[in-house]
Amino acid sequence: MILQIVAVTGGLGLVIAGLGLAVLRLLRGRSIGVMLAVVAVVTVAATLAGVVAITIEMIIDGHPKNVVLTVVAVAGLVGLGVALAVARQVVAASRSLVAAVEDVSPSSDFVPPAGPLPAELTTIAEALAQAYERLREGRERERALEGARRELVAWVSHDLRTPLAGMRAMVEALEDGVVEDAQTVRRYHNQIRHEVDRLSHMVDDLFELSRIHAGTLRLSPHRVGLGDLVADALAGVEALAKAKGVRLTGEAEPVLPIYADAAELGRALRNLVVNAIRHTPEDGAVVVRAEADERTVRLSVADCCGGIPEDDLPRVFDVAFRGETARTPGKDGGAGLGLAIARGIVEAHEGAIAVVNDGPGCRFEISLPISESTA
């Protein structure tokens, strides 16, 4: 008897389930409320079919049979009604979520619907809020980068035009024989060579910056001693410091070597030292330190520039930020992009760079993680 009951109810259930799946497949592009209603109908129909078949054919007869059928019919109608009510609530919640998305304008943020939502729709609303926040931040970064590009193009055009005009005037004077004495001719030649060197430095910096922004900067990391890195950076700018009358000091603790691209990281550190020398008055001092703890290596450059205005500190590493003299090329041939390049190189090493006012000037600090391959 039990096996017969299982066979009948199972067979009816499979038939009704198959029909329900076929209907759901046909309605897979319709509202979720319709699909929930189909699921409820399939569930109730399978239950009713099994109970009715067993009641009529095998077990109950007479008045008890009518009672059972009535109870099952009423239960089925109640279940179907509850399913339809739940489907209506889900549809209303989904429509309110869609309306909230449609109400978002390019200049506003996503605001989730006011009423309570099912847990899944609440998760979707939170994900939408995070996505719109990232989109807003992306648009702001894009606008800032576009403004920076325009300012950078204007600055580069100005700084290229000035030396080119000077060189053109000197070349024309030499060609036309306006200057003939050997001393003046020699001075013109030296000045032209100096301007060519400065333009070459500028082009190199622009090329390096373009590689960083395009994500094509390729690092060749290996074990690098911090003491050697500091010594090389100071040796490369020693002539500039002497010409400016600035004292250079290097302090390196006996710390672990780091795993980095020595050429690129050395360029970043050298850019910081050159920037410090430019803004340090005569007879001032620039101190370069290298130290480490269990997790981080720090390279710092302290100068005597008199400090940076607090409002300008967050923008010091921006490409097109000028400040007072941040983008004025000096006699050393710098292109004025050293800080932006330093930040790009440090971030390519998965490190961080920052600046704070400290004592008679400011302190730039590079922080790099100690990788497992270094330890």
Side-chain angles (χ1 to χ4, degrees):
M1 179 66 68
I2 297 298
L3 293 178
Q4 190 175 5
I5 293 174
V6 172
V8 172
T9 56
L12 290 173
L14 290 176
V15 171
I16 295 174
L19 293 174
L21 290 175
V23 174
L24 286 174
R25 183 176 180 83
L26 294 175
L27 300 176
R28 60 183 180 274
R30 300 292 298 276
S31 169
I32 190 174
V34 175
M35 300 179 71
L36 286 175
V38 172
V39 172
V41 169
V42 169
T43 303
V44 172
T47 303
L48 286 176
V51 172
V52 169
I54 297 303
T55 301
I56 293 176
E57 298 295 335
M58 302 177 186
I59 302 176
I60 304 176
D61 196 7
H63 180 69
K65 179 180 70 175
N66 296 332
V67 173
V68 170
L69 293 177
T70 301
V71 171
V72 171
V74 172
L77 292 175
V78 171
L80 181 60
V82 171
L84 292 175
V86 172
R88 184 175 181 180
Q89 292 178 358
V90 172
V91 170
S94 63
R95 287 177 178 173
S96 65
L97 184 58
V98 171
V101 173
E102 292 176 345
D103 289 340
V104 178
S105 65
S107 59
S108 62
D109 295 330
F110 172 75
V111 179
L117 298 176
E120 290 78 8
L121 293 183
T122 299
T123 302
I124 293 175
E126 293 174 353
L128 285 172
Q130 295 175 0
Y132 273 99
E133 177 66 19
R134 288 193 292 269
L135 286 174
R136 183 184 62 80
E137 293 175 353
R139 287 194 298 268
E140 291 178 354
R141 284 195 300 269
E142 184 177 354
R143 285 194 294 266
L145 287 174
E146 184 61 28
R149 290 190 193 100
R150 288 195 295 267
E151 190 173 349
L152 179 60
V153 169
W155 166 72
V156 170
S157 301
H158 174 271
D159 274 42
L160 288 175
R161 188 182 299 114
T162 301
L164 288 174
M167 286 191 295
R168 184 173 185 176
M170 286 184 287
V171 169
E172 290 177 351
L174 292 173
E175 289 180 345
D176 296 340
V178 176
V179 291
E180 296 181 351
D181 59 289
Q183 184 177 359
T184 304
V185 171
R186 189 182 309 109
R187 181 168 59 85
Y188 274 27
H189 285 158
N190 290 336
Q191 185 64 26
I192 291 173
R193 182 177 56 80
H194 171 76
E195 295 294 347
V196 169
D197 291 341
R198 188 161 75 87
L199 291 177
S200 297
H201 283 294
M202 185 182 299
V203 172
D204 290 342
D205 283 352
L206 288 172
F207 178 70
E208 184 76 2
L209 193 63
S210 68
R211 286 203 305 159
I212 292 172
H213 285 176
T216 59
L217 179 64
R218 296 292 179 262
L219 301 179
S220 300
H222 57 276
R223 291 171 68 89
V224 180
L226 289 181
D228 296 336
L229 196 68
V230 171
D232 291 343
L234 295 181
V237 299
E238 186 176 1
L240 175 63
K242 287 183 177 179
K244 186 74 182 294
V246 174
R247 300 187 305 275
L248 283 179
T249 304
E251 302 174 4
E253 295 181 357
V255 297
L256 288 173
I258 59 174
Y259 197 66
D261 188 314
E264 294 293 343
L265 188 58
R267 177 170 186 169
L269 181 60
R270 189 164 56 252
N271 286 354
L272 296 183
V273 178
V274 168
N275 181 76
I277 295 173
R278 287 180 186 168
H279 295 87
T280 296
E282 185 178 356
D283 201 31
V286 172
V287 181
V288 182
R289 292 188 178 90
E291 53 190 1
D293 53 29
E294 295 180 355
R295 297 183 178 180
T296 307
V297 171
R298 290 183 297 277
L299 295 166
S300 63
V301 179
D303 58 32
C304 299
C305 67
I308 301 173
E310 292 294 330
D311 294 339
D312 291 345
L313 284 175
R315 304 182 57 200
V316 165
F317 299 100
D318 291 351
V319 172
F321 177 68
R322 291 180 177 271
E324 294 180 356
T325 58
R327 294 291 182 261
T328 302
K331 296 180 180 180
D332 58 341
L337 300 174
L339 296 183
I341 292 173
R343 179 177 66 175
I345 293 174
V346 171
E347 290 178 351
H349 283 84
E350 298 183 354
I353 188 170
V355 58
V356 294
N357 288 322
D358 184 21
C362 57
R363 185 180 76 253
F364 289 82
E365 186 170 276
I366 296 174
S367 300
L368 298 171
I370 297 179
S371 62
E372 294 181 357
S373 55
T374 300

